[in-house]
Amino acid sequence: MSAFCQSTYRRVVAKPGDGVHTLLYRHGLTPSQHGRQFRELNKKNLTSRNGLIVGRTYLLPRKTATPAKAASRARTVTAPAPTTRRATISPRTLFGPKYGPAPVRDHLLRGAVYYLSPGHGGPDPGAIGTYGTNKLAEDEYAYDITLRLARVLMAHDATVYMMVQDPNDGIRDESVLKMDNDEVTYPNQVIPLNQLARLRQRITQVNKLHARHKGAYQRLLCLHVDSRSAGQNIDVFFYHHANSKAGLSLAKNIHKVFTARYKRAQPNRATYSGNVSTRSTLYEVRTSHAPAVFMELGNIRNAKDQRRFLVDDNRQALANWICDGLIADYRGRK
């Protein structure tokens, strides 16, 4: 007989991109408090590596009562990450009214510093795709995914710098993201039209911050949306500098997560074909003092790839998968 009466537990369905941590967080539970019981409750419905299966129903543990003293400590620890406060745009404005700053759920990334650089922005929308009568701009989708990544990293107590910030967009759940050009470079600089000037401006700030955090584990993530021919769908690709062992390790860890999650989320699709390779000529990869990974997340002009960006759950899944790769890299550091 089961140790738990299943009828007394809430049932939820795993979505694409969900891991145990993500599922628990979404329903107000923490892995440190509820992870073990969750695995016990659902051991027959987990993969051999304790992963979730998309579309399958899982039982949620009950929330445990929190003593007043512990609750007081929890309120202190759920303050937004201090780094984002130093930005000109406040955390609440940065993430928007629907989401707001992320509460700290655990300390898996305490001590890690991330510089997040979504592609293009300001006067340069990047690649443009079409969806019916709508235009889809690379910078809007790269920015939304990067914001989601920033928020989930903060939930693991990481220090996060958004190198591009929009004063009014926040995280958006719409399929078609409205185009604008009011983004700024951290902390509050007008983004130039010239590509080299734009990248130089961004990396100058990254390298200044890198010196401030001397001795810490620091990584730069550059998120882009590809713009190949409309007929070509692509998987996610990861580029690093040829001389950066740390960049290679980071790229491999994220790629490993994507390979495993694609297999779980889309078991009937062909093998995931994204890969890790060197591309030392990329300005951000070449000039950043922090080890860097440059990611191409799909083709904004291809109808099949567009589903990866148009569905907000898919954008969140991309952010979650990247975060899981970052956690693996941080925990495996030497």
Side-chain angles (χ1 to χ4, degrees), residues 94-105:
L94 187 66
F95 293 113
K98 182 175 179 179
Y99 286 85
V104 176
R105 302 292 189 179

Side-chain angles (χ1 to χ4, degrees), residues 109 112-120 142-143 145-147 149-150 153 158-164 199 202-203 206 217-224 236-240 246-255 258 282 284-285 288-297 318-319 321-327 329-330:
L109 292 173
V113 181
Y114 295 102
Y115 309 105
L116 305 185
S117 177
H120 307 276
Y143 182 72
I145 295 165
T146 306
L147 267 187
L149 174 59
L153 289 173
T159 298
V160 178
Y161 289 91
M162 280 290 295
M163 302 315 299
V164 173
L199 295 175
R202 201 171 298 187
I203 295 303
V206 169
Y217 170 100
Q218 304 183 59
R219 298 294 185 268
L220 168 65
L221 283 303
C222 309
L223 279 67
H224 286 251
V236 181
F237 292 91
F238 309 91
Y239 302 108
H240 64 94
L248 173 60
S249 171
L250 184 62
K252 282 185 172 180
N253 275 306
I254 305 172
H255 176 259
F258 270 69
L282 292 168
E284 289 176 290
V285 169
S288 169
H289 293 172
V293 170
F294 185 106
M295 287 173 270
E296 293 282 11
L297 301 175
L318 288 170
W321 295 1
I322 294 168
C323 179
D324 285 349
L326 298 181
I327 290 172
D329 190 74
Y330 187 57

Side-chain angles (χ1 to χ4, degrees), residues 220-234:
L220 168 65
L221 283 303
C222 309
L223 279 67
H224 286 251
V225 177
D226 206 296
S227 57
R228 304 182 189 194
S229 68
Q232 184 176 11
N233 64 298
I234 65 171

Side-chain angles (χ1 to χ4, degrees), residues 122-167:
D124 178 17
I128 300 291
T130 57
Y131 177 67
T133 59
N134 299 292
K135 297 292 185 183
L136 308 178
E138 172 183 2
D139 69 325
E140 302 297 340
Y141 289 89
Y143 182 72
D144 188 75
I145 295 165
T146 306
L147 267 187
R148 292 170 186 271
L149 174 59
R151 193 170 183 275
V152 72
L153 289 173
M154 289 169 63
H156 294 301
D157 207 13
T159 298
V160 178
Y161 289 91
M162 280 290 295
M163 302 315 299
V164 173
Q165 301 182 356
D166 189 292

